[in-house]
Amino acid sequence: MVSARRASKAPSQSIIEENELVSDNSGQGDLLDRVVKIKRCAAVVKGGRRFSFAAMVVVGDGKGKVGWGYGKANEVPPSVQKATKQATRDMVAVPLIAGSIPHQVWGKFGAAKVLLMPAGAGTGIIAGQAVRAVCESAGIHDILTKSYGTNNPVTLVKATIDALSKLRTRETIAALRGVELDN
């Protein structure tokens, strides 16, 4: 009953799991967005409680671009829209090699540390919910991950984006050093 009510408020969204929404984004091209976390805050006022919502959204094109956004509003759909709009503005490019990442990398944000390791074809995405949302949105198909420290989804997403923004290909490093690669 609750999910039918949510679906009627936002007709372009289909509910997959309790806290995970994927919309078709027909106006934004082929971007895929995932709601990682929805938080509810209550303010006690004279007439009772006033609720507000905050949404954490990860947006990616599945071809090497990913971003995150955080939006707040008095209802869930406007907070998701605000977060999606912010996420599409702040996208970072991720170098991909055969559906995986070029090298092992650490990402850190606050108390969250995330280790991303490349994996062979067919491995899949071995990750928790927050890190998995970022990797799937970026278009990574094979990766091994491990998170240390906090298990807060908001800081894990930020640490994962930090790790992905540190990735560089062999060609980029060779160009920065001014050397030629041997094949």
Side-chain angles (χ1 to χ4, degrees), residues 10-83:
S12 67
Q13 296 176 340
S14 62
I15 297 179
I16 292 179
E17 290 183 5
E18 184 175 293
N19 281 339
E20 187 175 342
L21 298 172
V22 178
S23 67
D24 58 358
N25 280 337
S26 57
Q28 298 178 352
D30 57 350
L31 294 179
L32 173 77
D33 66 340
R34 292 185 160 271
V35 176
V36 176
K37 184 75 176 171
I38 296 176
K39 295 180 182 179
R40 185 180 78 168
C41 180
V44 179
V45 293
K46 185 177 178 183
R49 292 189 184 107
R50 180 174 298 148
F51 295 107
S52 61
F53 298 91
M56 173 73 155
V57 176
V58 174
V59 173
D61 64 353
K63 300 172 190 164
K65 285 194 148 196
V66 68
W68 66 272
Y70 198 73
K72 298 177 183 179
N74 290 332
E75 294 180 13
V76 174
S79 65
V80 171
Q81 289 173 352
K82 286 180 183 181

Side-chain angles (χ1 to χ4, degrees), residues 6-179:
R6 282 189 202 155
S8 65
K9 284 185 179 179
S12 67
Q13 296 176 340
S14 62
I15 297 179
I16 292 179
E17 290 183 5
E18 184 175 293
N19 281 339
E20 187 175 342
L21 298 172
V22 178
S23 67
D24 58 358
N25 280 337
S26 57
Q28 298 178 352
D30 57 350
L31 294 179
L32 173 77
D33 66 340
R34 292 185 160 271
V35 176
V36 176
K37 184 75 176 171
I38 296 176
K39 295 180 182 179
R40 185 180 78 168
C41 180
V44 179
V45 293
K46 185 177 178 183
R49 292 189 184 107
R50 180 174 298 148
F51 295 107
S52 61
F53 298 91
M56 173 73 155
V57 176
V58 174
V59 173
D61 64 353
K63 300 172 190 164
K65 285 194 148 196
V66 68
W68 66 272
Y70 198 73
K72 298 177 183 179
N74 290 332
E75 294 180 13
V76 174
S79 65
V80 171
Q81 289 173 352
K82 286 180 183 181
T84 304
K85 189 174 180 183
Q86 181 186 355
T88 54
R89 277 190 302 233
D90 301 332
M91 294 181 85
V92 296
V94 179
L96 300 176
I97 297 177
S100 190
I101 57 176
H103 56 86
Q104 178 176 324
V105 66
W106 282 90
K108 186 174 180 186
F109 184 86
K113 288 187 233 172
V114 176
L115 171 64
L116 304 178
M117 295 179 289
T123 304
I125 301 175
I126 311 298
Q129 182 184 6
V131 179
R132 177 183 296 272
V134 175
C135 293
E136 286 177 350
S137 298
I140 300 171
H141 301 296
D142 303 303
I143 191 167
L144 301 169
T145 67
K146 177 66 182 162
S147 61
Y148 297 95
T150 185
N151 60 356
N152 183 351
V154 176
T155 54
L156 283 175
V157 166
K158 292 177 183 180
T160 307
I161 298 280
D162 176 55
L164 292 177
S165 64
K166 293 178 183 177
L167 289 173
R168 295 187 287 182
T169 60
R170 293 180 66 212
E171 292 77 18
T172 306
I173 294 172
L176 289 172
R177 292 180 183 175
V179 296

